[in-house]
Amino acid sequence: MTTKLTVVVDNISNEGITGEWGLCLLVEFRGKKILVDAGASKLFLGNMKKLGLDVADVDYGVLSHAHYDHANGIPAFFENNSKAKFYLRDGTAANCYHKMKIFRKYIGIPRSMLRKYPDRIEMVSGDYELMEGAYLIPHKTAGLSEIGKRELMYRKENHRWVPDDFSHEQSLVLDTDKGLVIINSCSHGGAANIINEVKETFPDKHVYGLIGGFHLFNKSGEEIRDVAGKIMDTGIDYVCTGHCTKGRAFGILKEELGDKIYQMKVGYQMEF
């Protein structure tokens, strides 16, 4: 059975459909519809309509991680879909910040979301089976707080600042006809780390593809080429990236990964 993915929101506008700094993907998988993230605003609702997609038909919602550009549209989703729950990694809270000199800017989920929609939000832990063939997989790589420290991303816990270890980030893994396809919208924990985490979780399965942003917009050319090399070393066949990868980094990745890699934009569709 063909698995289909449609990019509902990305930075790159396309064919008259507007983009924004954020990400939202619709997955059509084994007769069900899964919305991954809801962008930074209500924009995803209009984009779905323009793309011929009905938000009321969505069966599951998945939040990739607890940042505003992926979560701010969730309240609007609940107002326009009466049945689907959103699945969040346990421990997700309104506590994500970006350090800017002496200040810390809030970059997390809508502050009242967890309190306002308790019956529509499901917190999950460990390896979680969303439905047959679709799984939510947490990070299993040690030391990710070092990445948080480097990226100046912090969480507030017990009245103190701690570097983000991205324990609120998760991958949606789909068992498709071509192999496992991973969706991880910003890959804060590292694209190659995520691929290897999934390979270790499903040792008898082939990992075919990785879809999402790679948070490379602020990285040097050398760092981007290093990421490309590590992705290549995993043996993966297909990569589709956008959002926080941005254009400069995509160009460098394209030089290294060639015909393995594709650029996200609003309305772009993938089939597996």
Side-chain angles (χ1 to χ4, degrees):
M1 185 180 292
T2 300
T3 299
K4 182 177 178 181
L5 275 75
T6 302
V7 180
V8 178
V9 172
D10 177 66
N11 305 352
I12 302 176
S13 304
N14 183 38
E15 295 183 358
I17 307 178
T18 305
E20 67 180 356
W21 180 264
L23 198 64
C24 175
L25 306 171
L26 184 75
V27 179
E28 297 175 67
F29 180 74
R30 299 191 184 184
K32 298 293 184 180
K33 294 181 179 179
I34 306 168
L35 193 75
V36 180
D37 298 341
S41 70
K42 296 180 180 180
L43 178 67
F44 79 99
L45 291 173
N47 285 4
M48 287 187 74
K49 199 168 186 178
K50 290 175 183 176
L51 291 165
L53 305 169
D54 190 344
V55 68
D57 292 341
V58 173
D59 299 289
Y60 302 94
V62 171
L63 180 63
S64 63
H65 63 294
H67 287 170
Y68 76 96
D69 45 337
H70 302 264
N72 272 11
I74 293 177
F77 174 80
F78 290 146
E79 291 166 9
N80 290 272
N81 176 295
S82 61
K83 64 179 181 178
K85 289 188 175 184
F86 244 87
Y87 291 76
L88 282 58
R89 187 54 34 184
D90 64 343
T92 295
N95 65 353
C96 291
Y97 294 80
H98 179 233
K99 187 177 180 184
M100 304 174 70
K101 296 183 179 179
I102 63 171
F103 301 103
R104 286 177 172 85
K105 178 183 178 183
Y106 182 69
I107 59 169
I109 61 176
R111 292 182 187 271
S112 63
M113 187 177 81
L114 300 181
R115 183 180 70 252
K116 194 171 179 181
Y117 302 101
D119 57 326
R120 302 293 303 275
I121 291 171
E122 193 80 25
M123 294 288 189
V124 301
S125 60
D127 298 337
Y128 183 86
E129 187 174 18
L130 183 68
M131 57 172 282
E132 185 179 356
Y135 308 89
L136 300 177
I137 305 299
H139 283 306
K140 300 174 180 180
T141 304
L144 295 185
S145 60
E146 289 301 310
I147 295 176
K149 189 174 182 180
R150 185 186 72 214
E151 297 298 321
L152 302 177
M153 291 183 175
Y154 288 82
R155 288 183 296 149
K156 198 170 189 178
E157 293 185 352
N158 300 319
H159 306 290
R160 66 188 185 95
W161 298 107
V162 296
D164 201 335
D165 63 356
F166 306 107
S167 54
H168 55 88
E169 187 169 67
Q170 59 185 348
S171 298
L172 172 63
V173 180
L174 306 170
D175 192 356
T176 78
D177 292 346
K178 290 189 175 181
L180 299 180
V181 172
I182 308 165
I183 303 171
N184 188 305
S185 297
C186 277
S187 308
H188 288 291
N193 285 340
I194 289 163
I195 297 166
N196 288 325
E197 287 168 353
V198 172
K199 287 172 73 174
E200 290 165 12
T201 303
F202 301 95
D204 299 327
K205 300 276 189 181
H206 172 63
V207 179
Y208 176 78
L210 175 64
I211 297 163
F214 296 162
H215 211 265
L216 296 175
F217 71 93
N218 58 354
K219 303 298 186 296
S220 69
E222 183 180 358
E223 289 174 296
I224 295 164
R225 292 184 197 281
D226 181 63
V227 169
K230 288 176 178 175
I231 291 173
M232 188 70 82
D233 288 345
T234 66
I236 202 166
D237 301 299
Y238 176 90
V239 177
C240 186
T241 189
H243 179 42
C244 54
T245 300
K246 290 203 79 176
R248 180 183 64 89
F250 180 83
I252 296 171
L253 292 172
K254 185 69 175 175
E255 290 175 10
E256 300 296 319
L257 296 176
D259 59 6
K260 285 181 183 284
I261 190 166
Y262 297 83
Q263 173 76 66
M264 278 187 191
K265 55 187 172 183
V266 176
Y268 186 76
Q269 293 185 333
M270 297 156 260
E271 292 188 355
F272 305 100

